[in-house]
Amino acid sequence: MVGRFGRWPEWVGTAARTWAVVYGAMACYWIAGGRRGFPIANVEGDPAGGPAVATAISVVLAIGCAAALVLARSVSRIAVGGLVFATATAAMGTFGLVLSAVGIVASGAIERPLALISQSVALVGAVLLSSTAQVQSRRRRSRCPRCGRHHPLPLRPESPLIRPRPRPSAPRTRRTAYLLLLLLLPWATVKSVWMLGGSALGVTATEWTATTSTSDQSWLSRELSRAGIDITVLAAIAGAALILLLLHTASAPRWLLLFPAATAAVSLTLYGVPLTIWGTFALTGIAPTDTDPAPFTPNGLAAMILFGGTAFTALGTALTIAAHSHHHRTRPTCT
């Protein structure tokens, strides 16, 4: 027998509409000027770009919730497109979620608990909305809402799923992911040079260490620092290991690999793309740099921003490619 979770196409639309009511209320609170739990802000809770940008983001989030509430029951092409838009807005609300998780491990403290909660709620919404859009799209094309394929008979509750045999991804997919991972090297190399006591981008290891307080580090972060390992670089290595598992024959349950990969892919890409653009503009002189970037020089700070943005974007993109490949290779079929 297929359990309640296995019959998710029957209830996911209702769950998505319920989520839209809850998150829509949060978005209305942010539109009214409240800032508690606002996802796109710094440690002090100040929104990036100022109050006007925060209000605009909140309006977009509210529109996405309204679209989900109205369209979740429809199978029309417009409704499916609206659900995809709502999924994108919910994904935007997860901004910085993975980096927040890394920050918790690095510092041993949660700097913005309410923001972490709102980001987690947005993640739940993104999963529910994407699943709803998938189900409605399949129904519109007269396909099985559970596996997406044609069946001569309708799905029965007792119908089990046939899972395909594990096989590696296509060579072209693997090469693309590996090339993207190479873009992590400039950022990881600079961080590692500092951790090993060297100088990079005009900044010595002592100057870099002075920018962070040891009291703001967890026990694990301090021990890794003594060993010359930066915890963010270690997290990137963990992401690369996840990509390898997704690309090759991994016997782990699908959700155990796809859920963290999709979550990290969205969060890293949303964070990395703006940094890459900003670093490129600052390095080429199109955008002004910080007037007091100590211990960096203006160009050194711009280069570090570019390295970091490129690394986050590349890792997020590689995770997206690997997760997409793994999803299609391991997708089960109804009997």
Side-chain angles (χ1 to χ4, degrees):
M1 293 289 290
V2 177
R4 182 69 175 170
F5 183 78
R7 301 174 67 176
W8 61 272
E10 300 176 4
W11 53 261
V12 69
T14 302
R17 296 177 79 242
T18 303
W19 172 89
V21 172
V22 175
Y23 198 75
M26 296 169 61
C28 290
Y29 163 74
W30 294 327
I31 292 174
R35 289 295 172 261
R36 286 193 171 188
F38 188 72
I40 307 176
N42 58 19
V43 176
E44 289 75 23
D46 299 324
V53 174
T55 301
I57 292 173
S58 303
V59 169
V60 172
L61 294 175
I63 292 174
C65 292
L69 194 59
V70 173
L71 302 175
R73 291 181 175 178
S74 176
V75 297
S76 68
R77 185 184 297 271
I78 294 177
V80 173
L83 289 172
V84 172
F85 167 76
T87 302
T89 61
M92 183 172 65
T94 68
F95 180 88
L97 177 60
V98 171
L99 297 175
S100 297
V102 175
I104 292 171
V105 176
S107 64
I110 302 176
E111 295 175 332
R112 298 185 63 218
L114 293 178
L116 182 63
I117 292 173
S118 71
Q119 290 167 348
S120 302
V121 172
L123 174 62
V124 172
V127 173
L128 293 175
L129 290 170
S130 63
S131 300
T132 303
Q134 186 179 66
V135 167
Q136 300 300 64
S137 176
R138 289 171 176 176
R139 285 173 175 161
R140 184 175 63 82
R141 294 175 293 154
S142 300
R143 291 177 177 267
C144 172
R146 188 170 67 165
C147 74
R149 293 177 171 84
H150 289 292
H151 294 314
L153 296 175
L155 174 67
R156 295 181 179 181
E158 64 272 13
S159 299
L161 290 171
I162 297 177
R163 304 189 182 278
R165 296 176 62 182
R167 57 187 175 87
S169 60
R172 183 177 180 180
T173 302
R174 297 199 299 270
R175 286 195 298 268
T176 303
Y178 297 157
L179 288 174
L180 286 168
L181 289 179
L182 291 177
L183 296 178
L184 273 71
L185 291 178
W187 166 80
T189 300
V190 169
K191 281 291 195 77
S192 299
V193 166
W194 284 330
M195 297 304 295
L196 294 173
S199 300
L201 299 179
V203 177
T204 64
T206 303
E207 291 172 329
W208 171 254
T209 304
T211 62
T212 58
S213 173
T214 55
S215 61
D216 297 333
Q217 295 180 345
S218 65
W219 172 85
L220 176 62
S221 185
R222 288 194 295 270
E223 291 301 315
L224 289 173
S225 297
R226 292 190 182 98
I229 302 173
D230 184 89
I231 195 167
T232 57
V233 175
L234 187 62
I237 294 173
L242 178 57
I243 290 172
L244 293 177
L245 288 175
L246 290 165
L247 292 175
H248 296 275
T249 54
S251 58
R254 297 178 78 237
W255 64 268
L256 192 60
L257 298 179
L258 289 176
F259 182 76
T263 303
V266 172
S267 187
L268 289 170
T269 305
L270 285 174
Y271 196 85
V273 170
L275 284 181
T276 303
I277 296 173
W278 180 22
T280 302
F281 284 178
L283 198 60
T284 57
I286 298 176
T289 56
D290 194 336
T291 55
D292 185 20
F296 291 93
T297 63
N299 285 339
L301 178 60
M304 191 57 194
I305 293 173
L306 177 59
F307 290 168
T310 302
F312 297 147
T313 304
L315 185 57
T317 306
L319 281 166
T320 301
I321 293 172
H324 182 268
S325 173
H326 187 79
H327 168 69
H328 283 279
R329 287 184 290 111
T330 62
R331 188 172 66 178
T333 307
C334 299
T335 54

